Amino acid sequence: MPTNDLTDPERAFLGCLLQLPATAARRVLAGMRADDLASAAAAPVLQLVIELVAAGTDPAPVAVYAHAVATGRAAGQARREWLSGWIIDAYRDAPPPALTNHLKAVVLEAAWRRALFAHARRIEQSLDTTDPAVLRELADDGMAAAAELWSRYQSALHPQPRPAREVPA
């Protein structure tokens, strides 16, 4: 029985992606990277999905699994069984595909917050021991990554409408 459990937005996001055709998934994946996901299970699956969609293949569960096997990322029986189970569970328990864009924004917001936290932690750890010039450089370097994530998050929150196709007269 599907749970539609949104307590794991990364898994829910992937489950939604697995239901989309390649063209729709390509639009959703614009501005996404596998390392935007924190989950050690979800990030590699997102990378597989990104590769499939880039090749024009629908990211259906069987295609993602076959791609993992073909590329050597599901080596060994135990890994293949675990991966197939994870993919099927994400697909089965996914919320409706209409939530894909919302979940993308949730995932990117979480990635942005993680980037800010990591940056703040690096600065905090360096405050007492680092030369002020180095500290200034550290502060600037970390903010670039957070700013880039913020930009992608904002794009996900406020997507630009697709232009309507002209109908021939």
Side-chain angles (χ1 to χ4, degrees):
M1 177 175 190
T3 62
N4 291 331
D5 183 5
L6 294 179
T7 60
D8 185 352
E10 293 181 354
R11 183 171 169 233
F13 174 68
L14 279 164
C16 286
L17 280 174
L18 296 172
Q19 300 175 54
L20 298 177
T23 53
R26 182 182 309 267
R27 284 190 298 274
V28 171
L29 288 170
M32 293 291 300
R33 295 193 303 246
D35 65 359
D36 292 335
L37 284 82
S39 166
V45 173
L46 180 57
Q47 183 59 43
L48 293 165
V49 168
I50 289 169
E51 292 168 11
L52 284 172
V53 170
T57 303
D58 293 348
V62 69
V64 175
Y65 176 78
H67 184 57
V69 171
T71 58
R73 288 179 264 181
Q77 185 66 27
R79 174 77 176 156
R80 284 191 300 276
E81 287 176 6
W82 173 85
L83 181 63
S84 65
W86 194 94
I87 291 170
I88 292 303
D89 287 347
Y91 179 79
R92 181 195 63 219
D93 297 341
L99 291 177
T100 308
N101 288 320
H102 169 73
L103 289 165
K104 174 184 178 178
V106 169
V107 166
L108 286 173
E109 179 186 3
W112 172 70
R113 289 177 181 275
R114 284 191 309 276
L116 280 179
F117 180 77
H119 178 58
R121 183 61 127 188
R122 281 190 299 275
I123 290 174
E124 178 186 39
Q125 291 171 343
S126 301
L127 282 175
D128 295 333
T129 60
T130 303
D131 176 271
V134 174
L135 190 57
R136 167 76 182 183
E137 193 173 311
L138 176 66
D140 290 343
D141 287 347
M143 282 311 295
E148 188 264 339
L149 265 165
W150 175 259
S151 176
R152 293 190 292 126
Y153 165 54
Q154 290 301 303
S155 292
L157 273 179
H158 310 290
Q160 298 300 316
R162 294 179 51 210
R165 293 185 182 192
E166 289 187 28
V167 178

Coordinates of all heavy atoms in Angstrom, one line a residue, residues 98-154:
A98 N 2.5 15.6 -10.1 CA 2.2 17.0 -10.0 C 3.0 17.7 -8.9 O 3.2 18.9 -9.0 CB 0.7 17.3 -9.8
L99 N 3.5 17.0 -8.0 CA 4.3 17.5 -6.9 C 5.8 17.6 -7.2 O 6.6 18.1 -6.4 CB 4.1 16.7 -5.6 CG 2.7 16.9 -5.0 CD1 2.6 16.0 -3.7 CD2 2.4 18.3 -4.6
T100 N 6.2 17.2 -8.4 CA 7.7 17.1 -8.7 C 8.3 18.4 -8.6 O 9.4 18.5 -7.9 CB 7.9 16.5 -10.1 OG1 7.2 15.3 -10.2 CG2 9.3 16.3 -10.4
N101 N 7.8 19.5 -9.1 CA 8.4 20.8 -9.0 C 8.5 21.3 -7.6 O 9.5 21.9 -7.2 CB 7.7 21.8 -9.9 CG 8.0 21.5 -11.4 OD1 9.1 21.2 -11.8 ND2 6.9 21.6 -12.2
H102 N 7.4 21.1 -6.8 CA 7.5 21.5 -5.4 C 8.6 20.7 -4.7 O 9.3 21.4 -3.9 CB 6.1 21.2 -4.8 CG 6.1 21.3 -3.3 ND1 6.2 22.6 -2.7 CD2 6.1 20.4 -2.3 CE1 6.3 22.4 -1.3 NE2 6.2 21.1 -1.1
L103 N 8.7 19.4 -4.9 CA 9.7 18.7 -4.3 C 11.1 19.1 -4.7 O 12.0 19.1 -3.9 CB 9.5 17.2 -4.5 CG 8.3 16.6 -3.8 CD1 7.9 15.2 -4.3 CD2 8.5 16.5 -2.3
K104 N 11.2 19.5 -5.9 CA 12.5 20.0 -6.4 C 12.9 21.2 -5.5 O 14.1 21.3 -5.1 CB 12.5 20.4 -7.9 CG 13.7 21.1 -8.4 CD 13.6 21.5 -9.8 CE 14.8 22.2 -10.3 NZ 14.7 22.6 -11.7
A105 N 12.0 22.1 -5.3 CA 12.3 23.3 -4.5 C 12.6 22.9 -3.1 O 13.6 23.5 -2.5 CB 11.1 24.3 -4.6
V106 N 11.9 22.0 -2.5 CA 12.2 21.5 -1.2 C 13.6 20.9 -1.1 O 14.4 21.2 -0.1 CB 11.2 20.5 -0.7 CG1 11.6 19.8 0.6 CG2 9.8 21.1 -0.6
V107 N 14.0 20.1 -2.1 CA 15.3 19.5 -2.1 C 16.4 20.5 -2.2 O 17.4 20.5 -1.5 CB 15.4 18.4 -3.2 CG1 16.8 18.0 -3.5 CG2 14.5 17.2 -2.9
L108 N 16.2 21.5 -3.1 CA 17.2 22.6 -3.3 C 17.3 23.5 -2.1 O 18.4 23.9 -1.8 CB 16.9 23.4 -4.6 CG 17.2 22.6 -5.9 CD1 16.7 23.4 -7.1 CD2 18.7 22.3 -6.0
E109 N 16.2 23.7 -1.4 CA 16.3 24.5 -0.2 C 17.1 23.8 0.9 O 17.9 24.4 1.5 CB 14.9 24.8 0.4 CG 15.0 25.6 1.7 CD 13.6 25.8 2.4 OE1 12.6 25.3 1.9 OE2 13.6 26.5 3.4
A110 N 16.9 22.5 1.0 CA 17.7 21.7 2.0 C 19.1 21.7 1.6 O 20.0 21.8 2.5 CB 17.1 20.3 2.0
A111 N 19.4 21.6 0.3 CA 20.8 21.7 -0.2 C 21.5 23.0 0.2 O 22.6 23.1 0.6 CB 20.9 21.4 -1.6
W112 N 20.7 24.1 -0.1 CA 21.2 25.4 0.3 C 21.5 25.6 1.8 O 22.5 26.1 2.2 CB 20.2 26.5 -0.2 CG 20.5 27.9 0.2 CD1 21.5 28.7 -0.2 CD2 19.7 28.6 1.2 NE1 21.4 29.9 0.4 CE2 20.4 29.9 1.3 CE3 18.6 28.3 2.0 CZ2 19.9 30.8 2.2 CZ3 18.2 29.3 2.8 CH2 18.8 30.6 2.9
R113 N 20.6 25.1 2.6 CA 20.8 25.1 4.0 C 22.0 24.3 4.5 O 22.7 24.8 5.3 CB 19.5 24.7 4.8 CG 18.4 25.7 4.7 CD 17.1 25.1 5.3 NE 16.0 26.1 5.2 CZ 15.8 27.1 6.0 NH1 16.6 27.3 7.0 NH2 14.8 27.9 5.8
R114 N 22.2 23.2 3.9 CA 23.4 22.4 4.2 C 24.7 23.1 3.8 O 25.6 23.1 4.5 CB 23.3 21.0 3.5 CG 22.4 20.0 4.1 CD 22.6 18.6 3.6 NE 22.6 18.5 2.1 CZ 21.5 18.4 1.4 NH1 20.3 18.4 2.0 NH2 21.5 18.3 0.1
A115 N 24.6 23.7 2.6 CA 25.8 24.5 2.2 C 26.1 25.7 3.1 O 27.3 25.9 3.4 CB 25.6 25.0 0.7
L116 N 25.1 26.4 3.5 CA 25.3 27.5 4.5 C 25.8 26.9 5.8 O 26.7 27.5 6.4 CB 23.9 28.2 4.8 CG 23.5 29.2 3.8 CD1 22.1 29.8 4.2 CD2 24.5 30.3 3.6
F117 N 25.3 25.8 6.3 CA 25.7 25.3 7.6 C 27.2 24.8 7.4 O 28.0 25.1 8.3 CB 24.9 24.1 8.0 CG 25.3 23.4 9.2 CD1 25.0 24.0 10.5 CD2 26.1 22.2 9.2 CE1 25.5 23.4 11.7 CE2 26.5 21.7 10.4 CZ 26.2 22.3 11.6
A118 N 27.6 24.2 6.4 CA 29.0 23.7 6.2 C 29.9 24.9 6.1 O 31.0 24.9 6.7 CB 29.1 22.9 4.9
H119 N 29.5 26.0 5.4 CA 30.3 27.2 5.3 C 30.4 27.8 6.6 O 31.6 28.2 7.0 CB 29.6 28.1 4.3 CG 30.4 29.4 4.1 ND1 31.7 29.5 3.7 CD2 30.0 30.7 4.3 CE1 32.0 30.7 3.6 NE2 31.0 31.5 4.0
A120 N 29.4 28.0 7.4 CA 29.4 28.6 8.7 C 30.3 27.8 9.6 O 31.1 28.3 10.4 CB 28.0 28.7 9.3
R121 N 30.3 26.5 9.5 CA 31.1 25.6 10.4 C 32.6 25.8 10.0 O 33.4 25.8 10.9 CB 30.7 24.1 10.1 CG 31.4 23.2 11.0 CD 31.1 23.4 12.4 NE 30.7 22.2 13.0 CZ 30.2 22.2 14.2 NH1 30.1 23.2 15.0 NH2 29.8 21.0 14.8
R122 N 32.9 25.9 8.7 CA 34.3 26.1 8.4 C 34.8 27.4 8.9 O 36.0 27.5 9.4 CB 34.5 26.0 6.8 CG 34.5 24.7 6.2 CD 34.9 24.7 4.8 NE 34.0 25.4 3.9 CZ 32.9 25.0 3.4 NH1 32.5 23.7 3.6 NH2 32.1 25.7 2.7
I123 N 34.0 28.4 8.8 CA 34.4 29.7 9.3 C 34.6 29.7 10.8 O 35.6 30.1 11.4 CB 33.4 30.8 8.9 CG1 33.5 31.1 7.4 CG2 33.7 32.1 9.7 CD1 32.5 32.0 6.9
E124 N 33.6 29.1 11.5 CA 33.7 28.9 13.0 C 34.9 28.2 13.4 O 35.6 28.6 14.4 CB 32.4 28.2 13.5 CG 32.5 28.0 15.0 CD 31.3 27.1 15.5 OE1 31.0 26.1 14.8 OE2 30.8 27.4 16.5
Q125 N 35.3 27.1 12.7 CA 36.5 26.4 13.1 C 37.8 27.1 12.8 O 38.8 26.8 13.4 CB 36.5 25.0 12.3 CG 35.4 24.1 12.8 CD 35.2 22.9 11.9 OE1 35.7 22.8 10.8 NE2 34.5 21.9 12.5
S126 N 37.7 28.1 11.9 CA 38.9 28.8 11.6 C 39.1 30.2 12.3 O 40.1 30.8 12.1 CB 38.9 29.1 10.0 OG 38.8 27.9 9.3
L127 N 38.1 30.6 13.0 CA 38.1 32.0 13.6 C 39.3 32.2 14.5 O 39.9 33.3 14.4 CB 36.8 32.2 14.4 CG 35.6 32.5 13.6 CD1 34.4 32.6 14.5 CD2 35.8 33.8 12.8
D128 N 39.7 31.3 15.3 CA 40.8 31.5 16.3 C 42.2 31.2 15.7 O 43.1 31.7 16.3 CB 40.6 30.6 17.5 CG 39.3 31.0 18.3 OD1 38.9 32.2 18.2 OD2 38.7 30.2 18.9
T129 N 42.3 30.5 14.6 CA 43.6 30.1 14.2 C 44.0 30.6 12.8 O 45.2 30.5 12.4 CB 43.6 28.5 14.1 OG1 42.6 28.1 13.2 CG2 43.4 27.9 15.5
T130 N 43.1 31.2 12.1 CA 43.4 31.6 10.7 C 43.7 33.0 10.6 O 43.1 33.9 11.3 CB 42.2 31.2 9.8 OG1 41.9 29.9 9.9 CG2 42.5 31.6 8.3
D131 N 44.7 33.3 9.8 CA 45.1 34.7 9.5 C 43.9 35.4 8.9 O 43.1 34.8 8.1 CB 46.2 34.7 8.4 CG 46.6 36.0 7.9 OD1 46.0 36.5 6.9 OD2 47.5 36.6 8.5
P132 N 43.6 36.7 9.3 CA 42.5 37.4 8.8 C 42.3 37.4 7.3 O 41.2 37.3 6.8 CB 42.6 38.8 9.4 CG 43.5 38.6 10.6 CD 44.4 37.5 10.3
A133 N 43.4 37.5 6.6 CA 43.3 37.6 5.1 C 42.8 36.2 4.6 O 42.0 36.2 3.6 CB 44.6 37.9 4.5
V134 N 43.3 35.1 5.2 CA 42.8 33.8 4.8 C 41.4 33.6 5.2 O 40.6 33.0 4.4 CB 43.8 32.7 5.4 CG1 43.2 31.3 5.1 CG2 45.2 32.9 4.9
L135 N 41.0 34.1 6.3 CA 39.6 34.0 6.8 C 38.7 34.7 5.9 O 37.6 34.2 5.5 CB 39.5 34.5 8.2 CG 38.2 34.3 8.9 CD1 37.9 32.8 9.0 CD2 38.3 34.9 10.3
R136 N 39.1 35.9 5.4 CA 38.3 36.7 4.5 C 38.1 35.9 3.2 O 37.0 35.8 2.6 CB 39.0 38.0 4.2 CG 38.5 38.8 3.1 CD 37.2 39.5 3.4 NE 36.7 40.2 2.2 CZ 35.7 40.9 2.1 NH1 35.0 41.0 3.2 NH2 35.4 41.5 1.0
E137 N 39.2 35.3 2.7 CA 39.1 34.5 1.5 C 38.2 33.3 1.7 O 37.4 33.0 0.8 CB 40.5 34.0 1.0 CG 40.6 33.5 -0.3 CD 42.0 33.2 -0.7 OE1 42.9 34.1 -0.6 OE2 42.3 32.1 -1.2
L138 N 38.3 32.6 2.8 CA 37.4 31.5 3.1 C 36.0 31.9 3.2 O 35.1 31.2 2.6 CB 37.8 30.9 4.5 CG 37.0 29.8 5.0 CD1 37.1 28.5 4.2 CD2 37.4 29.4 6.5
A139 N 35.7 33.1 3.7 CA 34.3 33.6 3.8 C 33.8 33.8 2.4 O 32.6 33.4 2.1 CB 34.3 34.9 4.6
D140 N 34.5 34.4 1.5 CA 34.1 34.7 0.2 C 33.9 33.4 -0.6 O 32.9 33.3 -1.4 CB 35.1 35.6 -0.6 CG 35.1 37.0 0.0 OD1 34.1 37.4 0.7 OD2 36.0 37.8 -0.3
D141 N 34.8 32.5 -0.5 CA 34.8 31.2 -1.3 C 33.5 30.4 -1.0 O 32.8 29.9 -1.9 CB 36.0 30.3 -1.1 CG 37.2 30.9 -1.7 OD1 37.1 31.8 -2.6 OD2 38.3 30.4 -1.4
G142 N 33.2 30.3 0.3 CA 32.0 29.5 0.7 C 30.7 30.1 0.3 O 29.8 29.4 0.0
M143 N 30.7 31.4 0.3 CA 29.4 32.1 -0.1 C 29.1 31.9 -1.6 O 27.9 31.9 -1.9 CB 29.5 33.6 0.3 CG 29.3 33.8 1.8 SD 27.9 32.9 2.5 CE 26.5 33.7 1.7
A144 N 30.1 31.7 -2.4 CA 29.8 31.5 -3.8 C 29.0 30.3 -4.0 O 28.0 30.3 -4.8 CB 31.1 31.5 -4.6
A145 N 29.3 29.2 -3.4 CA 28.6 27.9 -3.5 C 27.1 28.1 -3.0 O 26.2 27.6 -3.6 CB 29.3 26.8 -2.8
A146 N 27.0 28.7 -1.8 CA 25.7 29.0 -1.2 C 24.9 29.9 -2.1 O 23.6 29.6 -2.3 CB 25.8 29.5 0.2
A147 N 25.5 30.9 -2.7 CA 24.7 31.8 -3.6 C 24.3 31.1 -4.8 O 23.1 31.4 -5.3 CB 25.6 33.0 -3.9
E148 N 25.1 30.2 -5.4 CA 24.7 29.5 -6.6 C 23.5 28.6 -6.2 O 22.5 28.5 -7.0 CB 25.9 28.7 -7.1 CG 25.7 28.0 -8.4 CD 25.3 26.6 -8.3 OE1 25.5 26.0 -7.2 OE2 24.7 26.0 -9.2
L149 N 23.5 27.9 -5.1 CA 22.4 27.1 -4.7 C 21.2 27.9 -4.4 O 20.0 27.5 -4.8 CB 22.8 26.3 -3.4 CG 23.3 24.9 -3.7 CD1 23.9 24.3 -2.4 CD2 22.2 24.0 -4.1
W150 N 21.3 29.1 -3.8 CA 20.2 30.0 -3.6 C 19.5 30.3 -4.9 O 18.3 30.3 -5.1 CB 20.6 31.2 -2.9 CG 19.5 32.2 -2.7 CD1 19.3 33.4 -3.5 CD2 18.5 32.2 -1.8 NE1 18.2 34.0 -3.1 CE2 17.7 33.4 -2.0 CE3 18.1 31.3 -0.8 CZ2 16.5 33.6 -1.3 CZ3 17.0 31.6 0.0 CH2 16.2 32.7 -0.3
S151 N 20.3 30.6 -5.9 CA 19.8 31.0 -7.2 C 19.0 29.8 -7.9 O 17.9 30.0 -8.4 CB 21.0 31.4 -8.2 OG 20.5 31.6 -9.4
R152 N 19.6 28.6 -7.8 CA 18.8 27.5 -8.3 C 17.6 27.2 -7.5 O 16.5 26.8 -8.1 CB 19.8 26.2 -8.3 CG 20.9 26.4 -9.3 CD 21.7 25.1 -9.6 NE 22.5 24.7 -8.4 CZ 22.4 23.5 -7.9 NH1 21.6 22.6 -8.3 NH2 23.2 23.2 -6.8
Y153 N 17.6 27.4 -6.2 CA 16.4 27.2 -5.4 C 15.4 28.2 -5.8 O 14.2 27.9 -5.9 CB 16.8 27.4 -3.9 CG 15.7 27.6 -2.9 CD1 14.6 26.7 -2.9 CD2 15.7 28.6 -2.0 CE1 13.6 26.9 -2.0 CE2 14.7 28.8 -1.1 CZ 13.6 28.0 -1.1 OH 12.6 28.2 -0.2
Q154 N 15.7 29.5 -5.9 CA 14.8 30.5 -6.3 C 14.2 30.2 -7.7 O 13.0 30.4 -7.9 CB 15.5 31.9 -6.3 CG 15.8 32.4 -4.9 CD 14.5 32.5 -4.1 OE1 13.6 33.2 -4.4 NE2 14.5 31.8 -2.9

